[in-house]
Amino acid sequence: MSGPSSANDTEITDYRQLVDVMASGEKPPEDWRIGTEHEKFGFRLDDLRPPTFDGERGIEALLKGLTRFGWAPIEEHGRVIALSKDMASVTLEPAGQLELSGAPLANIHETCMEVGTHLREVRAVADELQLGFLGMGFQPKWRRDEMPWMPKGRYQIMRNYMPKVGSLGLDMMTRTCTVQVNLDYATEADMVKKFRVSLALQPIATALFADSPFTEGQPNGYLSYRSQIWTDTDRDRTGMLDFVFEDGFGYERYVDYLLDVPMYFSYRDGEYIDASGKSFRKFLRGELDVLPGKLPTFTDWNDHMTTAFPEVRLKKFLEMRGADGGPWNRLCALPAFWVGLLYDDAALDAAWDLVKDFSLVERNQLRDDVPRLGLRTPFRDGSLRELAVEALKIAHAGLRRRAVLSSNGADETSFIEPLLEIADAGLTPAEHKLALFSGPWKGSVDPVFREYAY
């Protein structure tokens, strides 16, 4: 949920142009890159409350502090609301969750170096402001009405619209954090295969990364409450996209889906125009009542693509969206898992063999059950854990065959080790925290802010 896309004011006059945007993402394998994004909760060290935007210890002060590391400020109405450097950015989610949108990098060694550098920079500035940062899927302590709001125009529009289409959209905006990876494809057929594999296996990522078991200081009955929240956010723009598995799926079918996703806004002349609930199809015909006679630009289309929130999202690349936020080693493990599965031909074939006979009912059942049951989610004669072990073996072998070595001669397989340990033990990160809550933490979530902060 970052800011507006880089501006391209060329008007769109033909449906084919929308399809061409996605086709323009095609790259030969040697040019495939890895883009990792992760969000984290800020908290004040003295009272654990989330920092406001304003003030000496606020989020804007943190962003300004990060400029010492070469980040350039991005302003909206004179306030610093984001940072950019090279091809990376630091942005804000609606309640001030801090997001690194990483640069497109060549391998997981570079990705993990980028994550580590970012966390060190944030820590250096946060220490001065007496702030800390925590990686989890859901805010463990504070109520929705105790979360601050950042002064970004698009968030005000979404804040007004969300309660009309689901009961948990405002929680999604203010109280969740994720880690995602964005990956490339070579051709339309390659995109389709990767889309199908990653959608079918997304519940495995949700289970392995499940780390949101608390709401307002108490166990909430889920292992990934963040994942559960998406089921009641806005059904027009979320879910498992069953049509991806239908014959004939490709760029055009995804464009048709996006055209049926209601709009949020159009960004014009530095202002967000509220178009919530309106039709992009009408916009294409110049019939949008809030911009009469105007046609959409490529900026409008790129922005609109970011307002669909399925488990896997297609833009000019594929985004894996199923995982809760977590500690630094899992921020490196998520891209390792998906790169191992999708960036090696033999692994992709093996992963497709694993999922190709899943029925629509089975895929949706996994998606529905995994937020509550994690690796214990029933699947056929066993559980999701067995499926996860199989997928991790395939990903591990894929990373091994990639044979991308660091300066000290290590390949990328070490980055997937935390997930192998989780699958081997059969216990999600959430279950570890629940055991601490009922044991050493004596029924308090407060220790999570000390023991799990970056």
Side-chain angles (χ1 to χ4, degrees):
M1 259 196 296
S2 27
S5 309
S6 52
N8 181 343
D9 296 330
T10 307
E11 288 189 339
I12 296 169
T13 56
D14 178 59
Y15 170 91
R16 192 72 223 167
Q17 292 170 282
L18 306 180
V19 178
D20 290 344
V21 169
M22 284 154 195
S24 72
E26 295 175 3
K27 296 180 178 70
E30 61 269 22
D31 292 339
W32 290 351
R33 293 293 180 265
I34 303 159
T36 305
E37 305 176 22
H38 83 269
E39 304 158 357
K40 50 211 163 291
F41 296 107
F43 61 92
R44 300 192 304 213
L45 296 180
D46 49 356
D47 60 10
L48 307 182
R49 288 186 175 276
T52 57
F53 181 76
D54 300 304
E56 290 179 7
R57 297 170 63 197
I59 290 291
E60 187 179 30
L62 179 88
L63 291 176
K64 287 179 176 176
L66 286 169
T67 59
R68 76 180 72 156
F69 297 108
W71 293 91
I74 297 170
E75 296 186 355
E76 187 176 306
H77 298 306
R79 310 304 302 270
V80 177
I81 51 110
L83 306 168
S84 67
K85 180 164 62 171
D86 301 325
M87 295 184 73
S89 61
V90 176
T91 57
L92 301 178
E93 291 297 289
Q97 306 98 306
L98 195 71
E99 176 175 1
L100 173 70
S101 295
L105 301 172
N107 58 63
I108 313 295
H109 305 294
E110 292 180 6
T111 294
C112 211
M113 200 176 304
E114 176 188 60
V115 167
T117 299
H118 169 72
L119 291 176
R120 279 194 298 277
E121 291 175 357
V122 169
R123 179 74 183 264
V125 179
D127 280 351
E128 295 166 10
L129 303 177
Q130 289 294 291
L131 299 176
F133 280 89
L134 173 69
M136 283 184 74
F138 190 77
Q139 162 58 249
K141 186 173 174 70
W142 302 107
R143 297 192 310 268
R144 184 198 292 176
D145 63 3
E146 293 172 308
M147 302 303 290
W149 282 86
M150 300 297 106
K152 292 175 69 172
R154 69 182 286 176
Y155 292 160
Q156 188 57 51
I157 291 168
M158 292 169 69
R159 183 181 185 178
N160 295 337
Y161 180 69
M162 283 289 188
K164 301 173 185 174
V165 290
S167 68
L168 298 176
L170 296 180
D171 287 316
M172 179 278 289
M173 293 179 72
T174 60
R175 295 202 284 177
T176 64
C177 282
T178 186
V179 53
Q180 299 176 191
V181 64
N182 307 326
L183 298 173
D184 291 315
Y185 44 84
T187 62
E188 186 170 28
D190 185 46
M191 178 279 291
V192 170
K193 189 172 183 179
K194 286 174 173 171
F195 207 150
R196 289 172 174 167
V197 164
S198 51
L199 259 181
L201 292 179
Q202 209 61 219
I204 289 177
T206 302
L208 291 169
F209 285 76
D211 198 358
S212 40
F214 304 116
T215 300
E216 294 161 26
Q218 294 297 319
N220 53 33
Y222 293 90
L223 301 177
S224 176
Y225 188 54
R226 182 205 62 84
S227 181
Q228 178 64 19
I229 278 171
W230 282 110
T231 66
D232 193 8
T233 290
D234 182 345
R235 291 184 188 279
D236 289 331
R237 63 186 82 238
T238 59
M240 286 292 278
L241 305 188
D242 298 328
F243 64 83
V244 169
F245 296 89
E246 293 171 2
D247 289 346
F249 172 71
Y251 300 136
E252 288 190 15
R253 180 67 185 85
Y254 193 81
V255 166
D256 289 338
Y257 157 73
L258 282 178
L259 289 174
D260 289 329
V261 170
M263 291 180 66
Y264 280 150
F265 59 83
S266 172
Y267 189 70
R268 298 288 168 113
D269 303 320
E271 296 291 338
Y272 286 93
I273 309 298
D274 188 344
S276 54
K278 298 185 186 297
S279 163
F280 208 97
R281 291 184 192 277
K282 282 191 172 180
F283 202 4
L284 275 178
R285 299 195 296 265
E287 297 170 3
L288 197 65
D289 57 1
V290 294
L291 286 167
K294 299 280 190 192
L295 291 172
T297 65
F298 280 99
T299 297
D300 289 318
W301 180 241
N302 287 329
D303 285 342
H304 184 63
M305 286 195 289
T306 71
T307 67
F309 306 126
E311 294 293 295
V312 177
R313 178 163 67 188
L314 174 62
K315 294 197 285 196
K316 295 176 190 176
F317 42 79
L318 287 165
E319 295 182 353
M320 308 297 129
R321 297 176 44 81
D324 286 2
W328 74 268
N329 65 346
R330 289 209 301 275
L331 303 181
C332 306
L334 184 85
F337 177 62
W338 290 113
V339 165
L341 287 171
L342 304 184
Y343 273 12
D344 173 80
D345 286 343
L348 182 58
D349 286 343
W352 176 237
D353 283 341
L354 193 62
V355 306
K356 64 185 178 187
D357 69 338
F358 289 11
S359 69
L360 181 152
V361 170
E362 285 176 326
R363 288 192 302 269
N364 282 283
Q365 195 70 51
L366 285 176
R367 167 66 186 93
D368 292 344
D369 291 349
V370 81
R372 194 165 42 86
L373 299 173
L375 292 167
R376 293 195 304 274
T377 300
F379 184 72
R380 296 184 178 170
D381 296 329
S383 71
L384 188 66
R385 179 187 172 193
E386 284 93 77
L387 202 60
V389 167
E390 206 55 44
L392 284 165
K393 279 183 193 165
I394 295 169
H396 190 277
L399 294 173
R400 181 78 72 202
R401 278 189 297 271
R402 268 169 62 83
V404 180
L405 304 182
S406 67
S407 54
N408 63 5
D411 66 15
E412 296 167 307
T413 55
S414 61
F415 296 112
I416 209 171
E417 291 294 332
L419 305 184
L420 296 171
E421 290 170 16
I422 290 167
D424 189 46
L427 287 175
T428 61
E431 287 161 301
H432 281 289
K433 286 192 174 70
L434 287 166
L436 289 166
F437 177 83
S438 58
W441 293 355
K442 298 178 180 169
S444 170
V445 297
D446 290 4
V448 81
F449 293 92
R450 289 191 302 276
E451 295 182 27
Y452 285 89
Y454 290 118

